[in-house]
Amino acid sequence: MARVIDQLWEWIAIAVGLLLVLGGVLVGLVRGRGGRSRSAPARRPDVLPGVGDDAEPPRDAPKRSVQDAGSVDTLPASPATLPEPTTPTIERPEAPAGRLQRLRARLSRSNSALGQGLLALLSRGGLDEAAWEEVEDTLIASDLGVEASTELVAKLRARVKVEGTTDENTVRGWLREDLLALVDPSLDRSLADSRVDGRPAVILVVGVNGTGKTTTVGKLARVLVAQDKDVVLGAADTFRAAAADQLETWGARVGVPTVRSDRDGADPAAVAFDAVKAGAELEADVVLVDTAGRLHNKVGLMDELGKVKRVIEKQSPIDEVLLVLDATTGQNGLRQAEVFAEVVNVTGIVLTKLDGTAKGGIVVSVQRKLGVPVKLVGLGEGPDDLAPFDPEAFVDAILA
């Protein structure tokens, strides 16, 4: 009996021990839960409302501007995690002075028919009637135009007859003199590139499809920036989706702002108006307005170009209208030029792709047809391959 009692006490002792251990565990759990409930509740990091976030922002949350639209919504943990600010690289364009001389080799190769070929004919001696006809045909083929070609041949024939020589150096001198007279160095080839009566000069750039008009506007901006001019670009070509992006890229490379519409097919006259207004507010020197390329025989498109001109003139006079022509189109480009001149008062010609044609005579014929000078020439694909036209450098290049 005593043994049974002893075993019973042992079981009681074990049971009491287990109860004490279990009680301690329960007390610990209760204390842990109670302690957490009295502390500040854990929460996720503060987040600004963004796409897919339905929570209302706190009233004192900072407002997001247009510039913030593409930023990361989550606030950084500490200033050390912020990325270094990046400064856009602004290019310094090459000075326009001397560009045409630098590109003389390119120009001379493209105009060999008008230069070396003509000299070869004139200096071979024995210039009979057939030879002079060949000289005239060569000039006409180089897009000099029938009238100008006939005039030049008549002068050369008279000099050869009087002097009685076909020496190459002598003939070269005569040809240079007569060609330079046809190109007419007396024409005013300056650009409206400075403020006028306290407002920016306004340059409207027009042309047919495919002449490189928007690229020309971008390159012209570089020419002006190289001359320390403050420029504003107007992307009034609203029909070609990539035109505004293309122009904006050109401007950004040299730190020039571009005024554009945020939607395709916007009214080009309204964009042009806004560009001129922005130029005045920014006290710019020049506002360059790019327009949509249009076929010269499309009456509706030409009427629209007239509207762009009229709307701009409600705010500011237009100081320059540059017509961009593709030099490779030759005589076909002359009809285009005539129609544009009827709609807007063309004050200057930009000849693009002059390095890709043997028809340098287009310089003479387009000037004669319109009575306005060639002011700029494009001689390559490089960003600084747009050069102010220099008559003497041009003639020397094609006779080099």
Side-chain angles (χ1 to χ4, degrees):
M1 183 68 180
R3 185 176 180 181
V4 172
I5 292 173
D6 289 340
Q7 288 180 343
L8 181 60
W9 280 111
E10 287 178 4
W11 283 108
I12 291 173
I14 292 171
V16 170
L18 289 173
L19 288 172
L20 289 174
V21 171
L22 182 59
V25 171
L26 290 173
V27 170
L29 289 173
V30 171
R31 285 181 177 177
R33 179 172 297 178
R36 178 169 295 179
S37 65
R38 287 190 297 271
S39 64
R43 59 174 181 161
R44 63 184 181 127
D46 291 331
V47 178
L48 290 176
V51 177
D53 192 339
D54 296 327
E56 288 290 330
R59 293 186 179 181
D60 58 348
K63 296 182 179 180
R64 300 176 68 195
S65 66
V66 174
Q67 288 78 9
D68 296 328
S71 62
V72 178
D73 285 336
T74 305
L75 294 175
S78 69
T81 62
L82 290 172
E84 289 293 327
T86 57
T87 303
T89 302
I90 304 297
E91 298 178 11
R92 180 64 182 175
E94 176 190 344
R99 284 188 188 181
L100 196 58
Q101 286 84 344
R102 178 175 62 84
L103 299 169
R104 280 181 61 176
R106 219 180 284 177
L107 190 59
S108 63
R109 285 196 302 269
S110 66
N111 288 283
S112 58
L114 185 57
Q116 296 299 329
L118 192 58
L119 282 170
L121 285 172
L122 291 170
S123 61
R124 70 186 183 185
L127 288 170
D128 53 17
E129 194 65 32
W132 282 115
E133 287 182 6
E134 191 174 351
V135 170
E136 188 170 343
D137 290 343
T138 301
L139 290 169
I140 293 173
S142 66
D143 277 331
L144 197 66
V146 174
E147 182 182 339
S149 299
T150 302
E151 181 182 320
L152 182 57
V153 167
K155 286 184 178 180
L156 287 172
R157 289 187 73 166
R159 288 193 173 193
V160 169
K161 184 177 182 179
V162 171
E163 300 294 336
T165 180
T166 56
D167 174 71
E168 182 174 347
N169 290 330
T170 303
V171 172
R172 181 189 296 272
W174 295 340
L175 186 57
R176 182 187 186 279
E177 184 180 330
D178 291 341
L179 280 173
L180 191 57
L182 288 174
V183 174
D184 195 354
S186 67
L187 292 174
D188 181 10
R189 302 178 195 276
S190 61
L191 285 172
D193 57 3
S194 300
R195 292 176 65 82
V196 182
D197 297 330
R199 61 169 179 83
V202 177
I203 300 178
L204 185 66
V205 184
V206 302
V208 301
N209 297 311
T211 58
K213 183 174 43 55
T214 299
T215 297
T216 296
V217 175
K219 290 182 178 181
L220 179 53
R222 295 178 67 89
V223 170
L224 295 171
V225 168
Q227 296 173 334
D228 295 321
K229 304 295 183 180
D230 290 327
V231 182
V232 171
L233 299 178
D237 181 353
T238 60
F239 295 104
R240 189 164 58 91
D245 293 338
Q246 182 184 357
L247 191 63
E248 192 170 29
T249 298
W250 276 103
R253 291 171 66 179
V254 289
V256 169
T258 299
V259 177
R260 57 176 297 179
S261 173
D262 57 1
R263 62 185 180 85
D264 296 335
D267 183 0
V271 176
F273 184 91
D274 290 343
V276 175
K277 181 179 179 181
E281 292 173 349
L282 294 172
E283 298 185 350
D285 295 307
V286 185
V287 178
L288 281 175
V289 180
D290 182 29
T291 59
R294 58 200 72 232
L295 297 174
H296 64 286
N297 56 358
K298 296 295 184 182
V299 177
L301 291 175
M302 296 305 291
D303 287 345
E304 183 183 69
L305 181 59
K307 176 188 173 183
V308 171
K309 177 177 180 292
R310 291 192 302 273
V311 169
I312 291 175
E313 288 176 333
K314 289 181 179 179
Q315 183 172 200
S316 168
I318 296 176
D319 303 281
E320 188 98 64
V321 178
L322 294 178
L323 173 61
V324 181
L325 291 177
D326 182 341
T328 62
T329 61
Q331 296 295 312
N332 293 330
L334 298 183
R335 178 55 188 160
Q336 300 171 4
E338 287 181 306
V339 176
F340 275 93
E342 292 170 2
V343 177
V344 289
N345 181 31
V346 175
T347 59
I349 305 295
V350 183
L351 278 177
T352 62
K353 307 177 188 178
L354 195 59
D355 62 320
T357 174
K359 300 182 177 182
I362 187 69
V363 171
V364 173
S365 53
V366 73
Q367 288 185 161
R368 286 197 165 205
K369 180 68 71 174
L370 296 184
V372 298
V374 171
K375 294 192 173 185
L376 297 157
V377 289
L379 296 164
E381 299 297 326
D384 292 323
D385 282 349
L386 182 73
F389 183 73
D390 182 337
E392 293 196 8
F394 174 76
V395 171
D396 287 341
I398 62 179
L399 295 178

